[in-house]
Every structure is written in C-alpha cells, then in structure tokens.
Amino acid sequence: MMAVRLQEIRAKVFDIRHTFESAQPLTFYAYYDYADRVLTYPSSKGLVTAVFNGSSGNCRIVAHSSGTLSAKEEITSRFRLRDDMKKIYRRISTDKFVRAAIKEYYGMRLTRNDPWETTMCFIVSQLNNVKRITMIMHNIINVLGSPIMDDTGVMAGRGFPNCESLANATEKKLMACGAGFRAKYLVQAAEFCTNNIELDKLKCRSYGKIKEQLMEIPGIGDKVADCIALMGYGKLEAFPIDVWIKRTLENMYFNGKPKKIEELHEFAEERFGDLAGYAEQYIYVYGRHMRP
DNA sequence: ACCCAGGCGGGCG
DNA sequence: CGCCCGCATGGG
C-alpha cells in the first residue's frame, strides 16, 4: 500500500459551496459531497480529491491527486486562489446591486477549466438547464472518457474525452447521452477542432483573438464563446450575456428597457473593465436567486 | 397537457 | 443586416 501524499492549502475569501453551485464547468462533471465537503474530479493528469473546511470565507483545503500532478498547484490554479478577491470586489462594487450579490455569494470564485472541456460544456448548455447539462456531461464521460488510475493502479474514474474521441463518436451515440439537438454541434465542433485549430495554443492570445477564433467553431456563438474565454481561458474581461444577464441588466440599470446584446457588452466593458467576468458571475447567480 | 431551460444556425424579407 | 423559427428532452 502506497502512502497517499496530502497537501494543505489555506485560502481567504473562498467559499467552495458558492463556487460549486454557480454553474461553472466543474459543476457539470465534478462530484461534490455536501455533507462530507469532499470534491472529486478528473483532470487531464489524474484524479483530484479535496476536502474543504472553514467558514465565513476562510477555507482550509486538504488535497491529493493520483499521478504526478501537484494537488496543491492544481487546486490553487483551478479555483484561482491567487486572485485578490478584496481588490476585485472593490473594483466591481459599482452599485448597491453588485454589493448585495457579493454579500450573498461572498467567496465565490471563478474557476479555471480545460478549454476543450469548457467548449463541450457550454455547447451542451444551450437551451438547457443545469441538472440536465450535468447528466449529459456525465454520460459523455462514462461512454467516451478514458480511464484514470489511482495510485494503486485501480481504475478510479474516467477523464473527459479529447476532441479526437468525440470527432470519432457518432451523432447517434451523443444523442444516446441525452445531448438532443446539440449532438450535431458537439460532433461538428470536435471535427473542426481536430482538423483546424488547437485550442491549447490559443492560451497565449488576447481575449479578442480567442473569442474570434472560437466563433469559427460550429455551434459556438457570442455567448458560448464568452463562457469559454472566461472559464476555459481565464480571460476576466469576458462578459457572457445569456437571457438571465440580459434581463437582470435591463432591470437593474435600464429601468426594464430592452437593450441589444451589443449595447450590454459596451455597458459592461465600460462599467467593470478588465474584471467584467467576475461581475458577470455575481450578477448571474444573484439575478437567478432574485428570480422575477 | 403545457412551458421552460446559461443559444445557435439557417432562411426569409 | 435583423428577425424568427426549429431544435431534443426531462422536469415542473
């Protein structure tokens, strides 16, 4: 029996529950036990497990992972624990509404995710709900994912299938996973990425360039491209505008008057600048919480 | 039975 | 261009 190497991380202004409930890619394929506070998820290099303890924004994390991966670095990066939340809150607290959202969801972080996984997650998300998105992602992983071994060589789970695997999967197989009309987009996007573009190589590009490239991929439009830029590439200036954000912005800032997506992008950029993505995530969860 | 869900692509005026 | 429609499917 091999000794499991545990690593400890301490973080301020971090709430795993708020983060996990905020409908980011992790929500769709990780497993979080609310009673035991244990999070388990497959990453590209192995299976990661972490236990979260703490309250009022102070968090103590004990993590370990299979393979060569450093659990500490993985968790720190995945949950953006190097971000200075106090500073971010100061910057985006432009009004009462955002301040209330921060108070309600204090410690919620944006997460960093693999660009390809994020792409699939948000194609699946269109005209869909979180519960079903989660179900579909799990099905895709179980049917097409590659095995991940634990330290003793036993299969502990499956990792997200790469774009070649999905390009070779049939639309029918993805329909069987519950993807519905999005199955076609998933296969087309996988084929496109296999043949025309290497998503990891976009990491060093600017937000604008990344969004432009992503929108070349079939099944990806303005909103999904911004989600991928934000949560897959960590571009904090991205501001995805879905029906909820649109409705909330119109209600909170425009007296309920309908606005075009383009106008709302300009509004967000001007108001929240290069931290618009954080503002969006707080407005999103709070807007849904306040459901009209 | 109906309506909705973190949109997108295609077709039409 | 801008607008409108269909798209699969499970849960309220």
Side-chain angles (χ1 to χ4, degrees):
Chain A
M1 192 69 159
M2 211 181 288
V4 179
R5 196 161 75 109
L6 298 176
Q7 291 180 305
E8 183 185 279
I9 307 151
R10 285 176 187 279
K12 287 183 178 171
V13 197
F14 176 44
D15 186 315
I16 181 62
R17 186 171 188 128
H18 288 158
T19 303
F20 194 75
E21 287 177 343
S22 64
Q24 298 185 240
L26 267 172
T27 318
F28 305 143
Y29 55 74
Y31 177 72
Y32 182 62
D33 186 315
Y34 282 90
D36 297 340
R37 301 177 174 211
V38 179
L39 180 77
T40 313
Y41 63 89
S43 85
S44 55
K45 292 177 197 159
L47 201 69
V48 182
T49 306
V51 186
F52 298 80
N53 278 297
S55 59
S56 57
N58 286 313
C59 192
R60 177 178 172 270
I61 307 155
V62 177
H64 74 91
S65 67
S66 63
T68 54
L69 188 66
S70 159
K72 185 169 181 172
E73 177 53 31
E74 160 64 27
I75 293 287
T76 302
S77 167
R78 170 73 66 151
F79 292 100
R80 303 193 64 111
L81 297 181
R82 293 187 183 91
D83 285 354
D84 183 344
M85 294 308 292
K86 293 270 174 69
K87 194 170 156 189
I88 290 169
Y89 287 159
R90 271 201 302 278
R91 174 63 185 86
I92 66 175
S93 292
T94 58
D95 57 86
K96 223 190 227 174
F97 180 73
V98 177
R99 277 196 289 274
I102 292 169
K103 192 178 175 189
E104 185 82 20
Y105 291 92
Y106 191 77
M108 180 178 69
R109 301 266 178 163
L110 279 166
T111 60
R112 262 182 224 281
N113 305 272
D114 177 82
W116 168 247
E117 295 174 14
T118 307
T119 299
M120 293 294 98
C121 284
F122 282 101
I123 287 178
V124 168
S125 80
Q126 51 182 284
L127 197 58
N128 214 339
N129 58 64
V130 173
K131 195 169 181 180
R132 242 172 66 77
I133 299 165
T134 310
M135 180 201 74
I136 296 165
M137 296 316 287
H138 282 176
N139 290 342
I140 291 174
I141 289 170
N142 287 332
V143 173
L144 298 164
S146 46
I148 292 176
M149 304 304 173
D150 68 11
D151 293 320
T152 63
V154 177
M155 188 178 108
R158 287 180 181 278
F160 196 86
N162 61 26
C163 67
E164 289 84 2
S165 313
L166 272 160
N168 291 326
T170 57
E171 199 180 311
K172 197 176 160 189
K173 198 174 268 185
L174 287 160
M175 290 290 275
C177 290
F181 67 90
R182 309 160 199 88
K184 185 169 54 180
Y185 297 154
L186 294 175
V187 175
Q188 284 176 358
E191 284 169 350
F192 189 91
C193 289
T194 302
N195 299 323
N196 305 305
I197 190 174
E198 197 155 340
L199 291 181
D200 281 341
K201 288 198 175 153
L202 290 179
K203 281 179 182 172
C204 54
R205 309 303 295 274
S206 69
Y207 160 64
K209 188 69 188 169
I210 287 173
K211 184 171 176 181
E212 183 189 326
Q213 295 275 305
L214 288 172
M215 287 181 67
E216 299 285 313
I217 302 171
I220 299 183
D222 180 80
K223 188 266 175 184
V224 170
D226 270 325
C227 284
I228 303 166
L230 182 60
M231 298 171 216
Y233 289 95
K235 297 297 181 183
L236 298 182
E237 63 266 57
F239 190 88
I241 300 178
D242 67 358
V243 288
W244 285 99
I245 292 292
K246 185 170 185 296
R247 193 179 309 157
T248 307
L249 292 182
E250 286 164 353
N251 287 337
M252 292 304 140
Y253 303 109
F254 298 99
N255 208 14
K257 248 178 68 182
K259 290 282 165 189
K260 292 179 191 165
I261 300 285
E262 199 42 53
E263 293 177 298
L264 294 175
H265 274 306
E266 285 166 18
F267 170 79
E269 184 180 351
E270 199 165 309
R271 193 178 187 89
F272 304 114
D274 56 5
L275 290 173
Y278 261 109
E280 189 270 353
Q281 195 62 20
Y282 278 86
I283 294 169
Y284 171 74
V285 292
Y286 196 59
R288 294 201 62 153
H289 165 92
M290 306 275 293
R291 183 183 282 263

